[in-house]
Amino acid sequence: MTRIGVYPGTFDPITYGHLDIINRSLPLFDEVIVGIAVNSKKTSMFSMEERQELIRKSIPDTSKLKISTFSGLTVDFCLEIGAKTIIRGLRAVTDFEYEYAIALTNKKLALDVETIFFMASAENSFISSTIVKEIARHGRSVESYAPDVVNEALIKKFQNQQNK
C-alpha cells in the first residue's frame, strides 16, 4: 500500500514556511501531493496556473512529490486519490485552534483519514503568504521569506498593477 500524504493550501504564493513542511514530510510518505485548493473565501493574487508554476519551480526535484489542484473539501480530495493523511503546519496557538477544529471535522467525515501537524521551524514561524504579499506590495524584497522565483513574480505582479 502506497502511503500518500496531502499538503493542502492555497499557496498564494508558496513561502519558505511551506517548503519547510514539504521537505520535512517527504521522508514519511511514499508520495506527497501538494494540493492547491480553490478557496471560495479568498481572492487569489496568482492564478491557479501561476501558483502551480511557482510551486513547480520552488520544490525539490523528486519523484515522490506531485502537484495537484482541487476544489471542495480536502478530505474528499484525499478519499478520491486514496490518501490517508492530511499534512498541516502550525505556526502559533491561533493556527492550532483553527486546525484542530478542521482535523476533528475531517475525522468525522472520513474515519480513515488522519491529520498530522508539523510545528513551524523557528525561522519560519511568522511567515505567511499574506505577510509576504504585503511586504512586496510596498516595494520590498521577499527573498528572506520565499524563493527567488516568487520574489520575481511578486515584483512583476505589483509593477503591472502600478502601470494600469
Side-chain angles (χ1 to χ4, degrees), residues 24-35:
R24 289 166 51 205
S25 67
L26 281 169
L28 303 177
F29 298 95
D30 299 315
E31 183 175 274
V32 172
I33 298 174
V34 176

Side-chain angles (χ1 to χ4, degrees), residues 3-60:
R3 293 171 302 154
I4 303 170
V6 172
Y7 182 34
T10 52
F11 304 102
D12 186 42
I14 193 164
T15 68
Y16 285 141
H18 295 127
L19 293 172
D20 179 49
I21 300 300
I22 291 167
N23 287 323
R24 289 166 51 205
S25 67
L26 281 169
L28 303 177
F29 298 95
D30 299 315
E31 183 175 274
V32 172
I33 298 174
V34 176
I36 308 172
V38 175
N39 187 332
S40 59
K41 293 181 183 177
K42 291 184 178 181
T43 302
S44 297
M45 172 173 277
F46 293 100
S47 70
M48 188 65 76
E49 294 76 20
E50 289 172 319
R51 286 182 275 160
Q52 285 178 298
E53 188 64 18
L54 289 173
I55 293 169
R56 193 172 291 107
K57 290 179 177 178
S58 300
I59 60 175

